[in-house]
Amino acid sequence: MTTLTRQDLNFGQVVADILCEFLEVAIHLILYVREVYPSGIFQKRKKYNVPVQMSCHPELNQYIQDTLHCVKPLIEKNDAEKVVVVIMDKEHHPVERFVFEISQPPLLSISSDTLLSHVEQLLRAFILKISVCDAVLNNNPPGCSFTVLVHTRDAATRNMEKVQVIKDFPWIVADEQEVHMQEPRLIPLKTMTSDIVKMQLYVEERAQKT
Amino acid sequence: MSRDGWAKKRANARGDNGWGGYMAAKVSKLDEEFKLDASRERQKEGLCSNIFSGVSIYVNGYTEPNADELRRLMMLHGGQFHVYYSRSKTTHIIANNLPNSKIQELKGEKVIRPEWITDSVKAGCLLPYLQYQLYAKHKGPLFPGMTVRQTSEIAGPSHGPLQLSVHQKLHLPQCSVQLSVPNHEQSSSSYQNSTNPKSSHNQLYQGNVQPQYIQHNSSTCFEASLTNGHTHLVNGALKPKAMSPVKEKSSVDKELPESTENQLHPKQLQPSLQADSWPEKTLPSSASRSLSHSPIRLNGSHHNAFSSNPASVNSTNKTTKPGPSTDESTSSSKSSAQLLAQTGDLISEYYTHSRFHQISTWRTGFSEYVNELHSKRKAAGGASFPGKERLRKSMALCSSDCQGKKVNVKVASCHIKSCVLHVDMDCFFVSVGIRFRPDLKGKPVAVTSNRGQVRVPTRPGANPQLEQQYYQRKLTHTQQSEIDLYLTPSQESPDSHNNGVDEDAAALSMAEIASCSYEARQAGVKNGMFFGKAKQLCPSLQSVPYDFEAYKEVALSMYEILAGFTHDIEALSCDEVLIDGSTLLAELGTHPEDLAKAIRADIKDKTGCCASVGMGSNILLARLATRKAKPDGQYFLKSEEVDDFIRDLPVTSLPGVGPVMGRKLSAMGVRSCGDLQQVSLSHLQKKFGPRTGQTLFRFCRGLDDRPVRYEKQRKSVSAEMNYNIRFTRIDEAECFLTNLSMEVQRRLQEAGVRGRRVTLKVMVRKVGAPMEPAKYGGHGICDHIARTVMLAQYTDSGQLIATAVLKLFHAMNLQVQDLRGVGIQIQLLEGNHSASHDPTGHRTRSIKEMLLGQQPNKSPHHEKTFSTAGSPSGSSPHLQSPAEPVPGTSKDHPTCSRTPKHSRARLDLSIEVPSPSQVDRSVLEALPAELREQVEQSWINRDGKQNSQRSPSPQPPASLPQLPSLNSPPRPALYTPPVGTLVLQIPNHPDSPGIVLELPNFSQVDPDVFAALPRELQEELKSAYNRIATVQPQSKMCKSSGGLRRYKRKNAVSPVKKGPSPTKRRQTTNHPANILPLVTSRELINAVKNENGPSTSSSNKDIPESLSNFIPRPAPSLAGACDLTDIKTLLREWVTTITDPMEEDILQVVKYCTDLIEDKDLEKLDLIIKYMKRLMQQSVESVWSMAFDFILDNVQVVVQQTYGSTLKVT
């Protein structure tokens, strides 16, 4: 039984890998469930042993991949506090925000494979929740777009600007307009607590969507 | 400008709002100075511009370039520089880095890096500040994060970050230089990484006054450099400079006076620092000394507790301080056992010497007295009422005198359905004190411990002005908001030492006035005022010492007189009594006024003191009438007058309406009871909770249905100490808490009750308050924190309480040095019937016995406790005392006969691993082979290690073989929670309810053994563990690594367990079960949970639950429950069984919900809120839906604060 701790370089990477993989699935699914893109571009796949929808639009996929590629180093260093998928209306005002709040336990370690399978179960629960979240949310206005925001801890942004993971694909500070939402209402979807990460997903929804 | 140091800047950043003219004057003066300097500077430099016109900056913390340089630049280029931050005038805040608290404080302000200014100067025009902003505006106020967006556009400015990284690099060499300097203060604290000989002065000073900075310091070197602005100024020479030569020259010029001032600075402060901390700093060999310093301090405070004379203590304290090296060897080698004894002594000394404590216990005594009267009367079949007879006789006399009047009186008395008399002695302590001193009658007199001198020498480290200002502000402050401490300028600047007035205030006596005569009250003196202050108000004030014997005597005779009339007495305190006069008046046919007259005359006659009597149809009215009756009078509040009478009363005169609630009410525009009558019941209940709201609603109408109860049910038992609490190490605090728990145990046993809810209250020195309060040994300005936990069962065991309390204490995560008061309160009491014949906790049956100095708290076993504690055996005394059997340890006693007094209902037999002699061989053979081996193995282990400690206890009638690995691991009983019990039914013994087994922690369960168990046994265990999980979630905590560490430490603190007590048969072997990896236990939990059959919740909910137990942070719990299903059960029981929810219960739920938010478990919160909504809104009682609204409102507020949005509740 191998034991990894945070001191091992691998640990952060393992967590980041797991999370980014999950986030990719989740973003695709959110885009599908919230009908940001026409359902024609999505294909049914299987992930975490449940059916999920994945876009087959190459540019969109590339964008999501690039984005998560840049998120990964942040998660590795435990710098990312929230990863937010924002769905915006035509005027670029956010209507919905899917907030993945991530916190990693400071001391604990991975100790066996069984735990990772637990994590998979937990992530599956997230996916299932996302796929049914349209039941608790109001419909979005037509013509929505999306963006991904990252709330970092403390001074992580300084390093972010120095090290560009992908060339010509840097982080920029979000506009206030894109962050601020009028009368947001919070709908918790799922919380997980595991050895490697504590994550909760909630949706913030604008009270008046149209 | 920075001459006044950080304290002022800080104070100002917060307290800009209210120190009136002084600040305004100062700010304008500074502005003028700035203007003058600016013109001078401009002339000198020649080059100048107006690029900054309209810009006013405020420099917060350490900046690069420093504040002086920035000020100069602003001068040269037409800007404004504010020494004090003003929200309205300051346009930009300049900072390089800010702590989290400041970021929150300055939310919405422009916080800009100083490069903005330098770059603007270079560019020759005002650059847009946006790209220099230190932190972008962010939404969640709690998270100082930065919101960034992924995009494919070209990057924004990379200029700022680059600058910053350069800046960071500049700092690195500096820090290393500082570290390489020989360091005197290696041992001092966490901020040593940035100290050098000079800066240590500053930092220690800071440490003394502003401890919250220390925490900041410890985090990063970078932050340290921010908070210790002085350090950098002093070390200016070390700093590599990247400035132009011109600038450098001027900044050095500026820095020179600065640095000298900074060196002077701490010296000016010397008087305000603790004397003992100074030699350490100047002596190079202080490293070892400051290590040994902590026990000495405790020694000092320990001494103090014994002495009743503060002055003499002061001197002894001082003599120990200069020579710490002499005590060094002894004190540093102090064992934890001695510590235990010391703190224990402290408590018992405190309670035996604290006269006030005694007086407060009298009330219980007098209640007992009244009880006793009742029981006597029942026994005798009747009682004599000499007072009543006399009154009857006088009535007869009176009636013969004037027949007609008597008829009237009779008619009047027929109308009175019920009448309550409230008898209250007039300024009891004073009137008793001057009974035999007629010369003092009619003069302003105050009872105080002060011997008459007004001035007392100020102790070092104390800051009386600050405290006085704080108290004053607290009084005058209308809002409830946190009052920030600020340091008075006089503490910082040398010139204010000439300020005579302030010095006077500092030297005034801090002895409190316990009671003062009406003459003194007229002069403005109030009870509880400090004597020095009172003397200023009323120069002719005479002080009278305490005379506790006399108080006892007078109080006793008063009660005797009243008992001569009736036994329907409720003792409120030693000088305050409620009498239900209804039956008495009906029997005598007299008017209440006559009765009151008779009572007052008797009291005046026998005691020489005056009493006032208020009468009304209920307790509330009687008490209010007493106010009117005073002094030395009586007042009967007729029911027809009530409305008029109560309308004009201020709300604060209602019982239960203190200053806090008074402020709340006045914020609502309610000042008089008449105003209050206008407020609707629902509004009141919404604002103050259902119960308090109802009470207020009734009280302001003069309604009160509380009966006069001669027997009062105790609601809580507590022990608190807030005098002389100074800990230096965490184990001292732990020992103290343990001892205080034992004191609580004693009181619980004395009162014959057991309780479930344990509350730990602590007073923590308020951040920014001086280290030493003005009052000697007092607690000074404090924050009060309370934490509550629900125990699994009712208990009066000090050990169980100690366990719970220690857990709470650790969870609070406090600086022990800042503890100023500790209290333990036990609520949810239930009567313990066996207590009445408990030989140790015998109740005081007679008031005489009690008053004659029979100190029940000084029962023999306590004496023993502290004498044995000092012995080097290191064993804990209270465990040795056989007179204190405790349920928690009863598992060590194989027979029930050992603990007859405390046997729980179910408890018949409780067994650890029984010794071989106690085990039925046939049963053992029937066990699976593996199991049998384990049992035998454990015996072998035990025989090897603990031959001599075998219990000689007799064989129990029926003993079952045990699950060895389940039971063997050593756990210190003192800290063992009642993790859970397993009840085994014995078919052959129908009369015995079963065998109760203590279950070990999960981590100590060997899964193999578990698997080998018979099916039924497995089932039993599973259900038992499930019960534990529901009742005692905290017990699982010790499985985490942190918990284990703590457990070890505790074990070291209490070597008790290895003591030679014959009843302790604990194993200290390392049984295989002990070294099992955590994983197996974790798996076992899952196994148990999964096998538990269909649970109401989904399976993937259970798993995070079980895993969450391994996270060091305690999961939020409601009354001990943290699992969702348990909480639901709890809530359902609560809502369905109770019609009128208690306010505190509701607050508990709110607390739990906010904990969930903090724990980032919104999902659970959502589920619970929805569940409560269903439950409470279905409930027939409208109170419940109001309660739900209240809970929801509060939760929404917290969610709003945390996430910026509110929960969508559908």
Side-chain angles (χ1 to χ4, degrees), chain B residues 370-382:
Chain B
V370 176
N371 280 351
E372 190 206 357
L373 287 175
H374 275 271
S375 54
K376 257 191 205 159
R377 191 178 53 179
K378 259 178 218 151

Side-chain angles (χ1 to χ4, degrees), chain A residues 101 152 169 172 186 198 204, chain B residues 145 149-150 1159-1160 1205-1206:
Chain A
E101 208 174 313
T152 63
F169 200 70
I172 66 158
L186 195 145
K198 182 169 174 152
E204 283 176 298
Chain B
R149 187 175 62 126
Q150 183 72 44
D1159 200 45
K1160 302 200 170 160
S1205 48
T1206 51

Side-chain angles (χ1 to χ4, degrees), chain B residues 330-393:
Chain B
T330 52
S331 52
S332 58
S333 64
K334 266 201 175 81
S335 72
S336 54
Q338 276 169 303
L339 264 178
L340 200 72
Q342 262 186 352
T343 53
D345 277 355
L346 205 71
I347 295 172
S348 69
E349 288 297 332
Y350 176 72
Y351 281 119
T352 46
H353 280 135
S354 168
R355 301 302 187 104
F356 290 107
H357 165 65
Q358 268 177 278
I359 291 176
S360 67
T361 55
W362 286 357
R363 198 199 103 165
T364 347
F366 286 117
S367 301
E368 295 271 351
Y369 173 61
V370 176
N371 280 351
E372 190 206 357
L373 287 175
H374 275 271
S375 54
K376 257 191 205 159
R377 191 178 53 179
K378 259 178 218 151
S384 61
F385 292 103
K388 193 164 99 181
E389 294 310 317
R390 233 178 309 130
L391 186 62
R392 184 173 282 156
K393 266 178 216 155

Side-chain angles (χ1 to χ4, degrees), chain A residues 15-165:
Chain A
V15 174
D17 280 344
I18 292 171
L19 282 181
C20 285
E21 190 184 23
F22 163 74
L23 285 173
E24 187 177 356
V25 178
I27 291 171
H28 280 281
L29 195 59
I30 289 169
L31 296 179
Y32 172 78
V33 174
R34 301 313 295 151
E35 294 170 357
V36 179
Y37 293 96
S39 58
I41 69 159
F42 290 93
Q43 275 182 341
K44 208 176 206 175
R45 302 275 177 86
K46 196 167 112 177
K47 181 74 194 173
Y48 306 120
N49 245 341
V50 284
V52 294
Q53 296 284 343
M54 189 182 167
S55 137
C56 50
H57 190 283
E59 283 178 34
L60 175 61
N61 291 5
Q62 189 59 46
Y63 174 73
I64 294 173
Q65 267 174 21
D66 285 353
T67 308
L68 289 172
H69 201 70
C70 297
V71 172
K72 196 184 273 182
L74 291 173
I75 295 177
E76 246 172 62
K77 284 190 231 106
N78 200 5
D79 278 340
E81 183 174 83
K82 294 176 188 169
V83 177
V84 188
V85 180
V86 186
I87 297 174
M88 295 179 294
D89 61 12
K90 277 180 192 150
E91 287 81 39
H92 280 260
H93 292 294
V95 283
E96 265 172 23
R97 270 201 299 253
F98 286 78
V99 183
F100 295 88
E101 208 174 313
I102 299 164
S103 52
Q104 298 180 27
L107 279 174
L108 292 173
S109 57
I110 314 177
S111 46
S112 74
D113 295 339
T114 54
L115 283 167
L116 293 183
S117 76
H118 284 317
V119 172
E120 192 183 312
Q121 285 176 24
L122 298 171
L123 295 179
R124 183 191 303 153
F126 272 82
I127 295 293
L128 290 174
K129 271 282 186 186
I130 293 171
S131 56
V132 296
C133 72
D134 52 340
V136 288
L137 296 172
N138 298 327
N139 282 339
N140 284 334
C144 283
S145 59
F146 89 102
T147 187
V148 177
L149 305 182
V150 173
H151 292 246
T152 63
R153 282 177 229 278
D154 302 328
T157 36
R158 288 187 200 133
N159 294 330
M160 281 163 62
E161 295 200 22
K162 267 197 299 189
V163 187
Q164 278 187 24
V165 183

